[in-house]
Amino acid sequence: MRIAAAGLTAFVRDIFIGEGCAPEEAERIGRYLVAANLTGHDSHGVIRVPRYVAWLREGEVVAGRTPEVVSDTPAFALIDAHYGFGQTAGPFATDLGIARARANGVAIVALRHAGHLGRIGEWAEQAAAAGLVSVHFVNVAGSLLVAPFGSVDRRYSTAPFAAGFPVAGGEPIILDFATSAVAEGKVLVASQGGKPLPEGVLIEPDGRPSQDPRTLFGPYDGTAERDNRRGAGAIRAFGEHKGSGLALMCELLAGALTGSGTAGPGPKRFCNGMLSIYMTPEAFGSADAVATETRTYLDFFKSARPAAQGGEVLLPGEPERRTRAQRLAEGVPLPDPVWATLLEAGRPHGLDGETYRG
Ligand code: NAD
């Protein structure tokens, strides 16, 4: 099925109002989840609604929390989200980073104990729209999913990395990926009838490569909630030893340094930590000089010949922009099992999802 972004956002908003969130927070949850769907990252879109509802009911994430700045110097701030929604803490931290970098040229903002921050590229996009370069290291406390290079045991979260680079007079470069071979959400999507996983992105305890979501979730059926603690295997880190090393740095920078907590060991309360660096081009001398060199280099980059006939060399951020344009025009596609979970989430609040389809 397909549904227009506005209708889907309103449906998700109303589900979270029904669950006790203030309308502004519920709207943000809807808007950022649907924004992830619009970029094509369905793994971080509305498929998350049942899990967010469960976390809210269990007290794992708390509605209405105001992020607190607990350590503050002109070019550095440490924010504690106190397990409030990532859709509230994420924009708060990014706005603060933008304001501080504008005042000081550069700023480091550390965010700890945030609820799920969703698609991290969202925050890089927000900074780039304000004319800032940004770099984001992220981890997930209490989420052991990924085996380091050379291992079958889970030691990392999917620890994403993102960077944004504004381009004067053009679209920004947005690089944004999980340091796992696939994001957990992509395993979730595959388990619910979405895009199948590529070969060898998971690993069984005996070292055999796998592409079966059951390696991560254990046996499941239908719309049953997926639980990544039930699987015996792990997701592999991307990029062999190099990606595995970047994942380690995400755990250390976003988890250990911020005080948010690393992926393990032992049971921990689920939260995202994020260490972000914000930079204004002006802080490096002339913004015009940066713009000229960037433009020249990107033209040079784009002139690289495709390896395959009919192929295309894309800049990071281009695939998401194309998908967004298409989905804004045609609606957000949702597999039937995902739509079924949304209808179910609306029912206790007297919401009929079908009425949001316009
Ligand atoms: P992915 O593998 O789809 O990679 C996306 C990146 O690669 C983007 O920057 C995209 O522009 C670029 N890209 C894609 N195809 C390209 C091409 N042909 N040429 C050039 N560049 C190309 O991403 P992923 O690892 O599956 O991550 C998905 C999302 O999951 C991300 O948004 C990430 O932030 C999010 N995530 C969040 C958490 C969390 O805890 N909040 C954890 C893990 C992942």
Side-chain angles (χ1 to χ4, degrees):
M1 62 84 70
R2 277 183 186 271
I3 174 166
L8 187 55
T9 305
F11 185 28
V12 174
R13 176 200 64 203
D14 290 348
I15 290 172
F16 283 95
I17 290 175
E19 293 292 334
C21 292
E24 301 77 34
E25 185 159 66
E27 190 277 334
R28 282 194 294 274
I29 297 168
R31 179 157 42 89
Y32 287 123
L33 287 179
V34 173
N37 285 107
L38 284 173
T39 58
H41 292 288
D42 296 322
S43 56
H44 287 68
V46 299
I47 195 170
R48 300 269 170 169
V49 166
R51 201 175 277 186
Y52 279 21
V53 167
W55 282 339
L56 188 55
R57 290 183 184 179
E58 291 158 10
E60 192 88 347
V61 67
V62 187
R65 279 276 155 93
T66 305
E68 182 191 2
V69 179
V70 291
S71 175
D72 202 7
T73 68
F76 170 72
L78 171 63
I79 301 164
D80 196 322
H82 296 300
Y83 301 97
F85 273 97
Q87 288 74 15
T88 294
F92 179 92
T94 310
D95 283 341
L96 192 67
I98 292 169
R100 294 295 168 90
R102 279 192 173 145
N104 300 288
V106 296
I108 293 179
V109 174
L111 173 63
R112 68 183 179 207
H113 304 149
H116 190 237
L117 287 164
R119 177 182 165 255
I120 305 305
E122 185 73 41
W123 319 122
E125 275 175 8
Q126 193 183 323
L132 269 69
V133 177
S134 68
V135 183
H136 311 263
F137 299 90
V138 177
N139 89 320
V140 198
S143 173
L144 278 173
L145 293 170
V146 181
F149 178 66
S151 172
V152 295
D153 288 327
R154 301 181 186 191
R155 291 292 181 270
Y156 301 146
S157 61
T158 54
F161 170 85
F165 200 101
V167 178
E171 299 289 355
I173 310 300
I174 304 291
L175 178 64
D176 169 31
F177 54 75
T179 52
S180 47
V182 286
E184 186 215 353
K186 300 231 156 118
V187 189
L188 184 64
V189 168
S191 79
Q192 295 189 343
K195 196 171 163 197
L197 294 174
E199 272 174 39
V201 294
L202 307 178
I203 188 161
E204 287 285 340
D206 61 4
R208 270 180 308 123
S210 158
Q211 62 187 129
D212 182 347
R214 290 169 185 80
T215 300
L216 195 67
F217 296 127
Y220 54 78
D221 59 70
T223 59
E225 172 72 2
R226 309 291 187 254
D227 185 343
N228 61 42
R229 289 164 300 190
R230 289 200 206 116
I235 312 179
R236 298 179 63 210
F238 91 112
E240 307 299 330
H241 57 292
K242 304 180 193 183
S244 183
L246 181 56
L248 177 66
M249 292 313 292
C250 286
E251 290 292 345
L252 294 175
L253 291 169
L257 192 61
T258 64
S260 197
T262 50
K268 291 186 181 183
R269 187 164 173 181
F270 179 99
C271 65
N272 267 148
M274 177 162 77
L275 185 87
S276 303
I277 304 166
Y278 299 89
M279 296 165 266
T280 59
E282 292 79 9
F284 294 81
S286 152
D288 285 346
V290 173
T292 304
E293 184 71 5
T294 300
R295 193 68 269 162
T296 304
Y297 179 68
L298 293 180
D299 289 345
F300 176 57
F301 176 98
K302 276 299 218 179
S303 72
R305 289 172 301 146
Q309 211 170 11
E312 198 183 357
V313 182
L314 297 175
L315 288 162
E318 277 195 291
E320 285 78 10
R321 269 195 298 282
R322 287 182 187 180
T323 308
R324 185 186 290 130
Q326 190 188 3
R327 292 187 173 187
L328 278 173
E330 296 172 4
V332 176
L334 291 180
D336 289 338
V338 174
W339 181 239
T341 63
L342 293 183
L343 293 177
E344 212 171 291
R347 235 166 256 134
H349 311 298
L351 302 172
D352 176 5
E354 297 299 337
T355 62
Y356 292 83
R357 291 179 70 177

